[in-house]
Amino acid sequence: QESPKLSEVWTSFERHYANSENPKDKAKVATYRSDFSKFIQHTGDTRLSMLNRSHALGFRDALRALPDTTVAGFKELTGFKAKDFRNLSLDRQCEIASEENLTARSAPGVRNALKRTAAVLAWFDREHWTKFNVLNPLPDVPNAQSEKQGEAFQYDSEETRTLLTSDHILGSLSVDELWCMLVLYYTGARLREITPMLGEDLLIVDGPNSEGLHIREEHELGRKVKNKASIRVVPIHEDLKNLGFLQYANRKPRDPLFPDLWDTTGNRAGSFSKKLKALGMEKGIRPTVRPSHGFRHHVIGLWREAEKRQDLQDAYLGHAMRSQQANYSGFKAVAKAAEDVWPELPDKQKLIAYLWPEN
């Protein structure tokens, strides 16, 4: 049997939910109709079996060109209520957006529209046992993390120096926040891998002078990792030890390693990240959505400049390992490789003064 056209897919979806006694189902129909009708306009109401990846990517690009209908005074700007405007043809919407220089739809707005469209196709997949949902998984929608699409933000050497030496920045951060920033700099770990750590995550891996931080999952504490390779023990760099990190991190097993930044929701970690962004901008550092992640990409750059083996870098940073030598990248080898990756600290004594104010 030939697969239905997209308009028939929508008709089935609308018939199913519009007759529901649940008011949320009826609201779902009203919310999804506009996005799916745009999808039908974009693809030319093709048959479901003819959908392909280019349809999904083209639809994503078409959504990006549409204006944000949630901005204040939208009716005064366009002469249309938001609901009526969304029911116009794609071409007409883009034409008005261009004439009036309207604000473009945000990345979350594009992503949500794609999700709603994919949800209709997913429903049809389940009901009719088809395999035609090319919007699932969804195409990526870039955000404002960098000025160039697809470019990963990373601090350059001068920005890193500013973060580690500016009296304004160092004096505005708590001791816990300072240690967290330094751990991010010397491990390249993700912020949400570091902030939920406990005293028991400070490990002696293989005798004296072989300390590491254990990155793992523990969902009841809000600890999650990106993939299996992210579960790892990261060697503690000698520079961190010389600053006194082992003394700072000497805590009871279930006590937070960074008390100011620990909670199960990650809200405190998010607040720290925003604070770091604001302080950096005051000192001329480029704004970014995820300032703590800039350390991770900076560390990747340092490892590449040092021309270290790929499997050692992957093991250190928790990347899915691509090297055939991955099985040989043990803790000692990783710790040894990391010794000369980082340049000398720009002002060690200043950092010590802020890290140990009581002394």
Side-chain angles (χ1 to χ4, degrees):
Q1 182 179 356
E2 195 169 13
S3 63
K5 289 188 174 182
L6 291 179
S7 58
E8 295 168 354
V9 171
W10 173 256
T11 301
S12 300
F13 179 86
E14 186 173 29
R15 186 187 305 118
H16 179 81
Y17 281 105
N19 294 330
S20 171
E21 295 180 358
N22 186 342
K24 289 185 178 179
D25 289 340
K26 295 180 180 179
K28 181 186 291 186
V29 170
T31 305
Y32 288 21
R33 181 186 289 113
S34 143
D35 293 320
F36 206 81
S37 65
K38 289 185 182 67
F39 186 52
I40 293 174
Q41 289 180 44
H42 171 75
T43 58
D45 194 18
T46 185
R47 292 198 172 274
L48 191 58
S49 58
M50 296 173 65
L51 280 180
N52 55 47
R53 188 71 170 166
S54 64
H55 286 126
L57 295 172
F59 183 48
R60 177 198 63 184
D61 293 338
L63 289 172
R64 286 180 188 162
L66 297 179
D68 182 359
T69 57
T70 64
V71 297
F74 183 82
K75 183 179 179 181
E76 288 72 20
L77 289 171
T78 63
F80 291 92
K81 291 182 180 179
K83 181 180 178 180
D84 297 333
F85 183 86
R86 288 193 292 267
N87 289 326
L88 297 174
S89 69
L90 286 175
D91 290 342
R92 182 59 180 145
Q93 288 187 47
C94 291
E95 184 182 329
I96 295 173
S98 176
E99 289 174 355
E100 303 296 337
N101 197 25
L102 299 177
T103 305
R105 183 180 288 210
S106 65
V110 173
R111 188 163 54 245
N112 290 335
L114 288 169
K115 284 182 178 180
R116 287 190 286 267
T117 305
V120 177
L121 295 172
W123 172 83
F124 198 88
D125 276 346
R126 290 193 304 270
E127 294 292 312
H128 299 275
W129 297 82
T130 64
K131 300 281 184 184
F132 299 118
N133 191 356
V134 294
L135 287 178
N136 188 19
L138 292 170
D140 291 331
V141 182
N143 57 26
Q145 183 172 336
S146 62
E147 295 177 2
K148 295 183 180 179
Q149 180 180 331
E151 178 188 358
F153 174 84
Q154 70 179 72
Y155 294 116
D156 60 31
S157 299
E158 191 58 40
E159 288 171 327
T160 304
R161 182 181 180 85
T162 299
L163 287 165
L164 299 179
T165 59
S166 166
D167 285 303
H168 174 65
I169 293 175
L170 299 178
S172 301
L173 297 175
S174 70
V175 171
D176 290 345
E177 290 170 338
L178 281 172
W179 279 116
C180 183
M181 181 173 72
L182 286 165
V183 170
L184 290 171
Y185 173 61
Y186 276 109
T187 64
R190 303 171 181 92
L191 181 63
R192 291 296 292 132
E193 293 176 337
I194 293 296
T195 52
M197 282 186 166
L198 306 176
E200 64 190 16
D201 293 314
L202 178 60
L203 304 179
I204 306 297
V205 178
D206 189 14
N209 301 319
S210 297
E211 298 85 1
L213 288 172
H214 191 194
I215 294 173
R216 57 190 172 87
E217 281 195 311
E218 193 171 351
H219 289 274
E220 62 271 21
L221 294 179
R223 302 180 65 155
K224 299 178 183 178
V225 295
K226 187 172 183 179
N227 52 49
K228 186 178 179 181
S230 299
I231 299 174
R232 63 198 188 278
V233 179
V234 184
I236 298 174
H237 196 276
E238 199 64 30
D239 286 351
L240 269 179
K241 296 179 189 177
N242 292 337
L243 292 171
F245 180 71
L246 297 183
Q247 290 86 344
Y248 165 80
N250 183 21
R251 305 184 185 279
K252 293 179 181 178
R254 300 299 284 181
D255 284 354
L257 210 59
F258 305 97
D260 283 0
L261 299 172
W262 186 89
D263 68 349
T264 55
T265 64
N267 289 338
R268 288 189 178 184
S271 298
F272 161 65
S273 192
K274 292 176 184 176
K275 181 179 179 180
L276 192 63
K277 173 184 175 180
L279 291 170
M281 289 173 64
E282 291 173 13
K283 301 303 293 182
I285 294 175
R286 294 165 294 164
T288 178
V289 173
R290 300 165 69 195
S292 60
H293 213 70
F295 287 111
R296 182 171 176 82
H297 291 286
H298 180 71
V299 169
I300 292 172
L302 292 176
W303 275 78
R304 288 174 179 168
E305 287 172 17
E307 298 182 345
K308 299 295 181 179
R309 270 178 20 205
Q310 185 65 49
D311 64 306
L312 297 172
Q313 176 183 313
D314 290 342
Y316 195 90
L317 293 161
H319 284 149
M321 296 180 181
R322 299 178 292 274
S323 171
Q324 293 295 322
Q325 297 176 310
N327 292 332
Y328 303 101
S329 53
F331 181 86
K332 282 188 174 181
V334 174
K336 183 70 176 174
E339 287 179 356
D340 57 351
V341 169
W342 282 262
E344 187 176 351
L345 280 169
D347 196 335
K348 178 182 172 183
Q349 294 307 315
K350 177 183 284 191
L351 280 171
I352 289 175
Y354 281 105
L355 293 168
W356 302 99
E358 66 275 17
N359 296 329

